[in-house]
Amino acid sequence: MNATDILPLDAETKAFEAPHGHKDELRLWLRLLTCTNLVETEIRRRLRDGFDVTLPRFDLMAQLERAPQGMTLGEMSKRMMVSNGNVTGLVERLVESGHLERAPLPSDRRVQVIKLTTEGRSEFSAMAEAHEAWIAEMFEDLSAREIEALLKALGKLKASVLPTLRDAGRPS
Amino acid sequence: MNATDILPLDAETKAFEAPHGHKDELRLWLRLLTCTNLVETEIRRRLRDGFDVTLPRFDLMAQLERAPQGMTLGEMSKRMMVSNGNVTGLVERLVESGHLERAPLPSDRRVQVIKLTTEGRSEFSAMAEAHEAWIAEMFEDLSAREIEALLKALGKLKASVLPTLRDAGRPS
DNA sequence: CGCGATTATTTCAAACTTAAACCATTGGCG
DNA sequence: CGCCAATGGTTTAAGTTTGAAATAATCGCG
């Protein structure tokens, strides 16, 4: 019934497989997480202290700034890598505070298009400038060469991770 | 500590500073964030599907597993790099579900020490094994040399970030 | 001893986040 | 046309998360 019937060595082979040996990957993952958390926490604090804005609001505005013609909520959800409902709530509060405007698309009545308002855009550009400087400050000890190397290695990591993602609900 | 504190010419100097040139740091930061998010989201899904557990619960138990003698809530808060109140809530739910036990420390009545219960420990070890394999799978395309290099580079990044963290509430 | 500063934890309000259920609209396709 | 799957968003429930305020206990020091 099982491979043992055919290839008797399998059971043993299995038993001899290293019971661990993926520790380095794990260490790398934990370090990645630590770095991200450190930076993220500090950016969050500075955004709060300096601009009275939360990180997710900043992130959303950052995405919008690169799309002067506006963007669909679904598109935003994909770019921010967060759930639909999350975007709905964030947008709601940002519209409320005057940073965003939201308009239905006449050609497709399901779609909502969001844009930065003038005030939103101008507030954001001050934040973005500071933000860029903060990151530069935090990464200061890395040389251009090291940055380049990290970019490349993380690109490879990303390429390694992507194919392992399981489709949540496969139809077909 | 930097020149800004002493030299009054700063405002002008600032105006003449290159208006950009820190783009690579920013790109690196965004890529770091993307990698972390991809992995984290997938791990969260697999933990849910396979073990009906959330990522923060898993993280908390992971910290506890390495401290068989238990741990203080404050210690947990530091290790997980999350707020105190957050830990209080997580622990509450994990005690409720039988994974953790919590006991006051007689020698210091402010302190609560938490430990994994036997069931908690056994449930966790199944999760941990799967978790390690998932990470190994996701990082599969990286060679041992690349992993080593990334570990080192991220170590340097961490060392670069740490000194830039502002003390939230400075007394003195 | 007594008091003020510090430390450990909890509480609280607001916001964020997810997954799942739901609703409305659109786009095929017979 | 009429149905039905797919798409775009919103809603909902539960949980996570933060930062600040509140509590409680300990510590240091005169």
Side-chain angles (χ1 to χ4, degrees):
Chain A
M1 201 59 149
N2 63 39
T4 307
D5 299 324
I6 304 166
L7 299 172
L9 291 180
D10 269 335
E12 288 198 35
T13 304
K14 198 165 209 155
F16 284 131
E17 269 168 15
H20 42 287
H22 297 316
K23 294 297 182 195
D24 285 341
E25 286 87 340
L26 200 49
R27 282 210 309 145
L28 175 53
W29 167 234
L30 294 177
R31 187 163 296 179
L32 202 59
L33 213 43
T34 299
C35 285
T36 304
N37 277 341
L38 281 176
V39 174
E40 201 171 283
T41 301
E42 181 65 10
I43 293 296
R44 180 180 287 116
R45 163 156 61 219
R46 295 190 188 190
L47 283 174
R48 165 179 291 274
D49 291 354
F51 299 98
D52 194 34
V53 78
T54 64
L55 185 52
R57 278 163 155 93
F58 174 82
D59 285 343
L60 193 151
M61 288 193 274
Q63 292 295 340
L64 264 191
E65 203 210 18
R66 297 188 180 183
Q69 77 292 358
M71 191 186 296
T72 278
L73 293 204
E75 182 62 21
M76 181 61 72
S77 166
K78 274 179 217 125
R79 299 224 190 158
M80 291 182 74
M81 301 197 281
V82 300
S83 68
N84 276 346
N86 192 350
V87 170
T88 296
L90 280 169
V91 164
E92 200 170 274
R93 287 180 287 265
L94 280 165
V95 166
E96 174 69 26
S97 66
H99 294 86
L100 261 58
E101 58 190 1
R102 163 209 241 148
L105 192 62
S107 67
D108 184 338
R109 277 181 301 174
R110 292 170 303 180
V111 175
Q112 297 277 341
V113 177
I114 48 178
K115 286 183 175 63
L116 284 174
T117 60
T118 309
E119 313 83 61
R121 182 173 301 277
S122 105
E123 271 193 50
F124 176 76
S125 59
M127 295 179 211
E129 190 181 354
H131 177 262
E132 186 174 323
W134 294 336
I135 297 297
E137 176 196 355
M138 295 187 202
F139 287 31
E140 195 174 33
D141 291 354
L142 299 187
S143 69
R145 185 172 295 103
E146 288 170 320
I147 290 178
E148 210 50 53
L150 265 170
L151 264 173
K152 196 171 165 185
L154 291 175
K156 186 157 182 182
L157 173 55
K158 180 175 161 189
S160 177
V161 172
L162 279 178
T164 71
L165 305 187
R166 287 180 194 155
D167 258 337
R170 286 289 293 277
S172 140
Chain B
M1 199 48 168
N2 66 40
T4 307
D5 299 324
I6 302 164
L7 299 175
L9 292 178
D10 273 306
E12 288 198 35
T13 304
K14 199 165 209 158
F16 285 129
E17 269 169 13
H20 42 285
H22 296 316
K23 294 298 180 191
D24 285 342
E25 287 87 342
L26 201 49
R27 281 210 307 146
L28 176 52
W29 167 235
L30 295 178
R31 187 162 298 180
L32 203 56
L33 213 44
T34 299
C35 285
T36 304
N37 277 341
L38 280 176
V39 175
E40 201 171 284
T41 301
E42 182 64 10
I43 293 296
R44 179 180 288 116
R45 164 157 58 219
R46 295 190 188 190
L47 283 175
R48 165 178 290 273
D49 290 354
F51 299 97
D52 195 33
V53 76
T54 65
L55 184 52
R57 279 161 154 92
F58 174 82
D59 286 343
L60 194 151
M61 288 192 274
Q63 293 295 340
L64 264 191
E65 202 210 20
R66 297 188 181 185
Q69 78 292 0
M71 190 186 298
T72 278
L73 293 203
E75 181 63 20
M76 181 60 74
S77 164
K78 274 178 217 123
R79 298 223 191 160
M80 291 182 73
M81 302 198 278
V82 300
S83 68
N84 277 345
N86 192 351
V87 171
T88 296
L90 280 171
V91 166
E92 200 169 275
R93 286 181 287 266
L94 280 166
V95 168
E96 173 68 26
S97 65
H99 295 86
L100 260 58
E101 59 191 359
R102 161 209 242 149
L105 190 64
S107 68
D108 184 340
R109 277 182 301 173
R110 294 169 302 178
V111 176
Q112 298 277 342
V113 177
I114 49 178
K115 285 184 176 63
L116 285 174
T117 59
T118 309
E119 312 83 59
R121 182 173 300 277
S122 105
E123 270 194 48
F124 176 76
S125 59
M127 294 180 213
E129 190 181 354
H131 177 261
E132 186 174 322
W134 294 336
I135 297 297
E137 176 195 356
M138 294 186 203
F139 286 31
E140 195 174 32
D141 291 355
L142 299 187
S143 69
R145 184 172 295 105
E146 287 169 323
I147 290 178
E148 212 47 55
L150 264 170
L151 264 173
K152 195 171 166 187
L154 290 175
K156 186 157 182 182
L157 173 56
K158 181 176 162 189
S160 177
V161 172
L162 279 177
T164 70
L165 304 188
R166 286 179 195 157
D167 258 338
R170 287 287 292 277
S172 145

